[in-house]
Amino acid sequence: MPHWQRKHTEQKHLISRTPLQEAMNQNTQSETFKTCEDNTEDTKSSVGKRRRRRRGKGAQLEKIQDMTSEICVVSPPLSERSLTFPCRPGYGTLGSKCVVKANHFIAEISEKNLCHYSVTITPEVNSSPLNRAIMKQLVKLHGHTDLGMMLPVYDGRRALYTAGLLPFTLKDFTINLSDLDESMSITKFMVTIKFVAQANMLQCREVLSEKQVETNSQALKIIDVVLRELAAQRYVSVGRFFYSPTLKRPQSLGNGLESWRGFYQSIKPTQMGLSLNIDMSSTAFIEPLPVVEFVAQVLGKDISIRPLSDADRVKVKKALRGVKVEVTHRGNMRRKYRIIGLTSQPTRELIFPVDEEKNMKTVIEYFQEVYKFTIQHSHLPCLQVGSQKKLNYLPMEACKIVEGQRYTKRLNEKQITSLLKFSCQRPQDQELDIMQTIQHNAYKQDPLAKEFGITVDEKLASVEARVLPAPWLKYHDTGKEKEYLPQLGQWNMINKKVINGSTVNYWACINFSRGVQESTACSFCQQLVQMCQDSGMEINCDPVIPIYVARPDQVKKTLGYVYNAAANRLGGKELELLIAILPDNNGSLYGNLKRICETDLGLISQCCLTKHVLKVNKQYLSNVALKINVKMGGRNTVLLDALRWKIPLVSDIPTIIFGADVTHPECGEEYSPSIAAVVASQDWPEVTKYAGLVCAQPQRQELIQDLYRTWKDPQRGTLNGGMIRDGVSDGQFYQVLLYELDAIRKACASLEPNYQPPVTFVVVQKRHHTRLFANNHNDKSNIDRSGNVLPGTVVDTKICHPTEFDFYLCSHAGIQGTSRPAHYHVLWDENNFTADEIQSLTNNLCYTYARCTRSVSVVPPAYYAHLAAYRARFYMDPEAHESASRNATHSAVRPLPALKEKVKNVMFYC
């Protein structure tokens, strides 16, 4: 049973397909799927020793009978202490060799004494930036005296490191920050520094090559803190990212926001030794504008004359809450405050007591008398700053937004488009920016790096790579091209027919768009039906009922009417497919339609946007036809090797490939749960059809809670079930493997006593920062049309883990920007895959993605799990989840509505 999981997405394989499939069909508690968002690969598994392949499907199925005897050993309970990741079984050799460059820079460590001190700040501070500000002030005041001229580095929490002993083992310092930020309720802090331990930097380097997770993590943390310290002083720090308006000129995103360029920095253990990973990044910041100008941009209108309406005031309050401003009416006294609200009255109506005798004065009078500042925009409300106990009023025109505040709320579509355009770079340009960043950071001149004896090479790592061959694909024999070998990761359906065309006898169309006339909708449907037929599907030329025109706000009523009208026309037979034409900006219409069709009516639907209907494109119609085919139970293509029983391990015995993913709510969705989804292949040996399950679970929970569970049924007693299962971080590998492997074991044992098929468990990560560049950008033979490395490029040397089984694979052709390879990490392997076997399987599966004729960047099972989890978010009732979350414990999550039987066993999420 191979299993793949993505960082925040998981994909699994199970060899005994039939019993597991029955278990998934029996589950009545959670009926949704789970997907992997990053490039994920299927893993294969074979039971017992590898056998010579028997020719013919019948011979393959015979193996099921004696499978149990080969896997009857029940594994003992797993524990994290006994759990170890598999070592690399060797390096891959398949494919044509080439050399690529990676954004990794070798870091060297010299012999220095490293001292660790604990830091305690009283009163306790939960803000890392505030902690750093306190420590920065301490070093400024006491660096040349009490700290003995040492240059310490601080992790922002409880650890301080120095390259040598401080003059003391325990000392208290009093730090006052009142001059830095007047909005702080507490400005005086006691800092206690206490000696903890001493080590040699070379010892840190030595343990990095050993399998000591905790020690390795601590050693890496120390080096990482040292290299980050100077960058944190120069730039705005956001986690492992650093941003600055000086790296590239900021670009306006509209509504008072702008995009900043920055970079990611992290130290990693690799086969080369320690490596510094540098990558470029962009994100949204609040423009450092005068508040009046910012408010005008937020509202998109002139505010210099008229007071704000109640709706405008609410919008402005939401935009400004939590934003830090500095006053401009006191000359060089630029005090900073954080906005907590807006006054309900305009400035000209505000009065407040000026003394203990409750003598009142207007805000206008106060600013004129005390600061000689004449308020011009008295019709605007004042900013409320300070604390709820002691409110201060500041006129908007007397304040400016402090530079360097990252925007953490949701961007609108226009802003997202602008940000993507700003950040998108061709590979050659991104490589140049990375090189300029490494040179600008000047690690060789970094006083802290010198202090701790760390040097960083300024050359990109040169890495040996291989380009894996594309697999042959099988299409239907009635097409002109029955077999096809893709070139550069893309192809089309010209002269090809899907290998298994589905049949659609009864379909209907609803037009929710005012911009599409009846004749246009009819013409579009005719062209789409023709494309489906040309692709090899059997579909009725005419809809059951005429195209129905409806309003978007009547979706539930409309769907019920069309469904029943079709049933009446068909004499009790049910509608099979709904084609829906939607406005380009359709709000909640799409989600509501999918929820009703899939959880209420049991109806497969295909939505088409107005812009595609008005301007029909053959490639678009072809892709929609492919989606309809798999939604209706067909197959588009399969690997030729699968039909010839030539896929190592997978073709040897019935195998299930799983994909799993967890998607989390966006920022600001306080009460929304996370959604877990699992998909599993249903059609060995082709392994192209994936059904799945989905469920809701506590917010931000990475482990899939319902992977396996038991529950009491009033009629049937104790039942077994679950899901058998984004991104999981490196530090969560042990936890995820321990929990989920145990769940897989229990699920298998529940099907048949002592049934334990071998499992391969792979995590696929897409949210990493390794990039691969062509060694020579002018050599067209080694790059695709976008300038990226060729699809199929795989790396398992130098920049990979020193001992564990991982690799980078760029399985897709670039479209725009710099391609991101998927990182696959084998966490468990009872099938003893070789490097070539797992790498080629992963690459080949990426050519079987059902929704397009391109190889994709993530292995399809993981991709499908992501799609399923994303779809399931439409099934939630936000108000119900909010109410349940407020009135129940953190672990209580309202279950999702069940999928209808006609939907859950097909790839409706495509």
Side-chain angles (χ1 to χ4, degrees):
M1 168 201 290
H3 166 84
W4 280 329
Q5 168 174 0
R6 196 189 63 150
K7 264 198 154 181
H8 254 81
T9 308
E10 306 193 6
Q11 178 71 33
K12 305 179 182 180
H13 275 78
L14 178 61
I15 283 197
S16 70
R17 181 177 69 96
T18 306
L20 184 59
Q21 189 172 358
E22 292 174 356
M24 296 180 68
N25 291 337
Q26 290 170 1
N27 185 308
T28 60
Q29 299 299 312
S30 55
E31 313 216 1
T32 321
F33 322 160
K34 165 171 186 175
T35 68
C36 300
E37 300 181 351
D38 293 1
N39 280 359
T40 333
E41 306 182 336
D42 292 340
T43 26
K44 318 168 188 178
S45 67
S46 68
V47 174
K49 298 179 180 178
R50 300 185 192 176
R51 306 176 181 178
R52 294 180 181 176
R53 287 184 292 273
R54 304 176 189 175
R55 299 295 178 183
K57 190 171 184 178
Q60 294 295 325
L61 295 176
E62 289 175 6
K63 296 183 180 181
I64 297 177
Q65 303 300 322
D66 61 350
M67 180 166 58
T68 307
S69 63
E70 298 186 13
I71 55 176
C72 62
V73 178
V74 178
S75 300
L78 296 171
S79 69
E80 189 164 326
R81 289 180 177 272
S82 63
L83 203 61
T84 58
F85 299 149
C87 292
R88 189 181 304 280
Y91 296 98
T93 59
L94 185 65
S96 57
K97 293 183 179 180
C98 63
V99 175
V100 297
K101 291 178 285 187
N103 56 337
H104 286 246
F105 302 86
I106 298 175
E108 296 287 348
I109 303 174
S110 63
E111 187 171 355
K112 289 273 188 175
N113 288 324
L114 179 68
C115 297
H116 175 202
Y117 292 84
S118 67
V119 175
T120 304
I121 298 177
T122 309
E124 185 176 0
V125 176
N126 294 321
S127 167
S128 182
L130 181 53
N131 282 338
R132 292 184 183 279
I134 294 169
M135 189 56 64
K136 182 179 179 181
Q137 185 74 351
L138 187 152
V139 173
K140 179 180 178 181
L141 296 176
H142 304 280
H144 292 280
T145 55
D146 298 282
L147 300 184
M149 303 292 291
M150 302 291 289
L151 293 177
V153 293
Y154 176 52
D155 70 351
R157 293 179 292 275
R158 296 185 177 276
L160 185 79
Y161 303 102
T162 59
L165 292 168
L166 293 174
F168 57 84
T169 57
L170 176 66
K171 194 172 182 65
D172 294 331
F173 299 87
T174 300
I175 303 299
N176 195 324
L177 296 183
S178 59
D179 293 335
L180 299 180
D181 192 338
E182 204 167 88
S183 65
M184 294 170 51
S185 57
I186 301 174
T187 59
K188 196 172 184 179
F189 301 91
M190 176 71 73
V191 181
T192 302
I193 299 178
K194 181 182 178 180
F195 175 76
V196 176
Q198 182 177 4
N200 188 280
M201 286 291 281
L202 288 179
Q203 294 175 345
C204 295
R205 181 173 66 184
E206 291 168 0
V207 301
L208 288 171
S209 63
E210 301 174 3
K211 290 187 176 181
Q212 302 175 17
V213 177
E214 293 182 2
T215 307
N216 292 0
S217 176
Q218 182 66 14
L220 282 174
K221 176 184 175 182
I222 297 170
I223 300 168
D224 188 57
V225 169
V226 172
L227 291 176
R228 286 170 49 82
E229 185 69 19
L230 192 61
Q233 296 174 13
R234 291 176 177 172
Y235 311 110
V236 176
S237 176
V238 180
R240 291 188 174 274
F241 296 84
F242 301 94
Y243 297 95
S244 171
T246 63
L247 293 177
K248 185 177 181 180
R249 185 178 179 181
Q251 177 178 303
S252 175
L253 300 177
N255 297 104
L257 304 182
E258 63 183 7
S259 55
W260 280 23
R261 192 69 165 159
F263 64 94
Y264 167 91
Q265 172 180 300
S266 179
I267 195 79
K268 298 178 180 295
T270 67
Q271 296 172 28
M272 302 182 296
L274 288 179
S275 167
L276 186 66
N277 182 203
I278 299 286
D279 190 26
M280 305 312 297
S281 174
S282 298
T283 195
F285 277 77
I286 302 173
E287 283 194 67
L289 300 169
V291 171
V292 171
E293 187 177 338
F294 176 81
V295 171
Q297 287 202 26
V298 168
L299 297 177
K301 62 183 180 181
D302 182 15
I303 61 169
S304 62
I305 301 176
R306 296 181 180 178
L308 300 184
S309 66
D310 289 342
D312 285 345
R313 197 182 70 83
V314 170
K315 187 175 182 180
V316 171
K317 181 180 179 180
K318 183 178 180 181
L320 286 175
R321 185 185 291 119
V323 175
K324 188 175 288 188
V325 295
E326 59 184 6
V327 296
T328 59
H329 64 284
R330 302 179 64 179
N332 293 328
M333 296 284 289
R334 292 276 178 138
R335 293 291 178 87
K336 297 176 182 178
Y337 301 88
R338 193 173 298 278
I339 301 172
I340 62 173
L342 291 182
T343 61
S344 57
Q345 299 168 290
T347 303
R348 60 189 171 215
E349 297 178 12
L350 292 173
I351 60 174
F352 64 97
V354 293
D355 53 35
E356 295 179 356
E357 297 179 357
K358 303 296 182 181
N359 292 314
M360 308 300 287
K361 184 170 290 189
T362 67
V363 170
I364 294 177
E365 291 172 343
Y366 179 81
F367 272 80
Q368 181 64 53
E369 294 174 7
V370 177
Y371 302 114
K372 309 300 182 188
F373 183 84
T374 302
I375 297 176
Q376 304 292 330
H377 302 287
S378 61
H379 60 287
L380 297 177
C382 273
L383 306 177
Q384 292 177 326
V385 300
S387 64
Q388 293 292 348
K389 293 182 179 180
K390 185 182 178 182
L391 283 176
N392 288 326
Y393 298 147
L394 288 176
M396 287 187 180
E397 62 199 87
C399 299
K400 180 185 177 183
I401 293 175
V402 174
E403 186 181 54
Q405 298 180 76
R406 185 170 71 105
Y407 186 74
T408 58
K409 301 172 186 176
R410 185 183 302 178
L411 299 175
N412 60 39
E413 292 298 322
K414 185 177 180 181
Q415 290 169 333
I416 292 173
T417 301
S418 297
L419 181 60
L420 290 176
K421 185 177 180 181
F422 177 78
S423 59
C424 183
Q425 285 186 300
R426 291 179 63 84
Q428 193 168 1
D429 297 330
Q430 178 137 342
E431 179 185 336
L432 181 60
D433 274 7
I434 291 172
M435 291 303 299
Q436 290 176 344
T437 299
I438 198 82
Q439 292 164 6
H440 186 263
N441 289 347
Y443 296 100
K444 291 183 179 180
Q445 284 74 48
D446 185 340
L448 288 171
K450 287 183 179 180
E451 177 94 351
F452 286 84
I454 302 173
T455 58
V456 178
D457 193 359
E458 294 187 351
K459 294 180 181 179
L460 288 164
S462 181
V463 184
E464 292 180 356
R466 290 167 289 117
V467 180
L468 300 178
W472 280 90
L473 301 178
K474 182 69 175 73
Y475 286 93
H476 199 274
D477 288 340
T478 57
K480 291 183 179 179
E481 295 184 348
K482 304 173 181 60
E483 300 171 3
Y484 189 78
L485 182 64
Q487 303 296 320
L488 294 177
Q490 50 192 322
W491 62 103
N492 55 51
M493 288 296 293
I494 297 175
N495 297 327
K496 304 177 190 67
K497 292 185 182 293
V498 295
I499 190 167
N500 297 115
S502 59
T503 299
V504 181
N505 294 312
Y506 313 119
W507 63 274
C509 176
I510 301 177
N511 180 10
F512 287 101
S513 175
R514 292 182 179 179
V516 177
Q517 300 298 317
E518 181 179 356
S519 59
T520 304
C522 289
S523 174
F524 173 77
C525 287
Q526 290 171 359
Q527 293 179 73
L528 179 57
V529 166
Q530 184 63 52
M531 181 60 74
C532 289
Q533 293 172 341
D534 292 345
S535 299
M537 294 174 58
E538 293 184 13
I539 182 170
N540 198 320
C541 293
D542 300 313
V544 174
I545 61 175
I547 294 175
Y548 189 77
V549 179
R551 289 166 43 188
D553 60 350
Q554 298 289 322
V555 59
K556 185 173 184 179
K557 179 180 178 181
T558 299
L559 289 173
Y561 170 80
V562 170
Y563 186 80
N564 292 326
N568 292 334
R569 178 69 63 87
L570 295 171
K573 295 180 181 179
E574 294 183 331
L575 193 64
E576 296 172 339
L577 173 67
L578 173 69
I579 297 172
I581 299 174
L582 308 184
D584 292 334
N585 298 312
N586 55 74
S588 61
L589 173 59
Y590 176 85
N592 289 336
L593 185 147
K594 291 296 183 181
R595 184 190 73 252
I596 295 168
C597 284
E598 292 159 10
T599 66
D600 290 347
L601 302 178
L603 178 62
I604 296 298
S605 60
Q606 177 61 53
C607 296
C608 304
L609 294 178
T610 297
K611 61 183 179 182
H612 298 306
V613 174
L614 296 178
K615 190 176 181 179
V616 180
N617 177 280
K618 282 193 175 182
Q619 184 61 56
Y620 171 76
L621 291 176
S622 178
N623 287 344
V624 172
L626 294 177
K627 294 173 68 173
I628 291 175
N629 187 50
V630 295
K631 287 180 181 182
M632 298 303 298
R635 291 190 193 90
N636 293 337
T637 187
V638 299
L639 297 173
L640 188 59
D641 279 353
L643 299 180
R644 294 177 175 175
W645 308 92
K646 288 185 177 181
I647 301 179
L649 296 175
V650 172
S651 294
D652 289 346
I653 200 163
T655 302
I656 294 183
I657 297 176
F658 285 85
D661 185 37
V662 179
T663 64
H664 302 298
E666 296 183 8
C667 294
E669 296 182 5
E670 182 180 355
Y671 298 104
S672 297
S674 292
I675 301 294
V678 175
V679 301
S681 60
Q682 306 287 294
D683 59 339
W684 180 83
E686 292 91 347
V687 290
T688 57
K689 286 185 177 181
Y690 292 85
L693 299 171
V694 296
C695 72
Q697 61 186 42
Q699 192 177 100
R700 303 293 163 187
Q701 173 62 256
E702 287 299 338
L703 299 177
I704 299 182
Q705 300 297 294
D706 285 347
L707 197 57
Y708 172 77
R709 61 194 179 93
T710 60
W711 68 93
K712 296 286 186 181
D713 182 89
Q715 283 76 39
R716 295 184 289 172
T718 301
L719 298 178
N720 301 312
M723 305 176 69
I724 306 288
R725 137 122 168 155
D726 148 169
V728 177
S729 65
D730 292 353
Q732 294 174 308
F733 281 178
Y734 274 94
Q735 185 184 15
V736 169
L737 176 60
L738 180 65
Y739 182 90
E740 298 189 7
L741 185 59
D742 185 58
I744 293 172
R745 294 283 189 229
K746 291 177 180 176
C748 292
S750 73
L751 301 177
E752 184 177 329
N754 298 327
Y755 173 53
Q756 293 296 322
V759 176
T760 295
F761 191 115
V762 184
V763 169
V764 55
Q765 301 170 303
K766 200 67 190 298
R767 296 178 183 175
H768 61 83
H769 293 275
T770 291
R771 300 291 183 272
L772 303 177
F773 302 103
N775 191 49
N776 181 358
H777 291 283
N778 295 320
D779 184 356
K780 302 301 181 183
S781 64
N782 285 321
I783 57 176
D784 62 17
R785 296 171 185 172
S786 66
N788 283 287
V789 295
L790 295 173
T793 299
V794 63
V795 171
D796 59 5
T797 62
K798 283 194 174 180
I799 59 174
C800 293
H801 195 279
T803 59
E804 294 171 7
F805 192 4
D806 71 329
F807 59 94
Y808 292 93
L809 173 65
C810 189
S811 54
H812 63 298
I815 299 177
Q816 62 178 357
T818 302
S819 295
R820 187 197 311 247
H823 181 222
Y824 295 90
H825 203 128
V826 181
L827 301 188
W828 192 259
D829 184 22
E830 294 172 330
N831 297 288
N832 300 318
F833 276 94
T834 66
D836 279 333
E837 286 172 342
I838 194 71
Q839 291 167 13
S840 61
L841 173 63
T842 303
N843 184 61
N844 291 351
L845 286 173
C846 289
Y847 284 78
T848 65
Y849 185 61
R851 305 210 309 174
C852 62
T853 51
R854 298 179 66 93
S855 60
V856 289
S857 62
V858 174
V859 72
Y863 210 141
Y864 295 148
H866 173 67
L867 294 176
Y870 185 81
R871 172 67 58 80
R873 196 157 290 282
F874 294 127
Y875 302 161
M876 298 186 303
D877 181 345
E879 294 182 0
H881 275 289
E882 180 174 347
S883 175
S885 299
R886 283 176 170 171
N887 300 317
T889 61
H890 175 70
S891 59
V893 176
R894 187 183 181 92
L896 297 172
L899 292 170
K900 292 297 182 180
E901 288 295 323
K902 290 200 305 181
V903 172
K904 69 179 182 180
N905 290 323
V906 296
M907 299 170 66
F908 68 92
Y909 48 83
C910 281

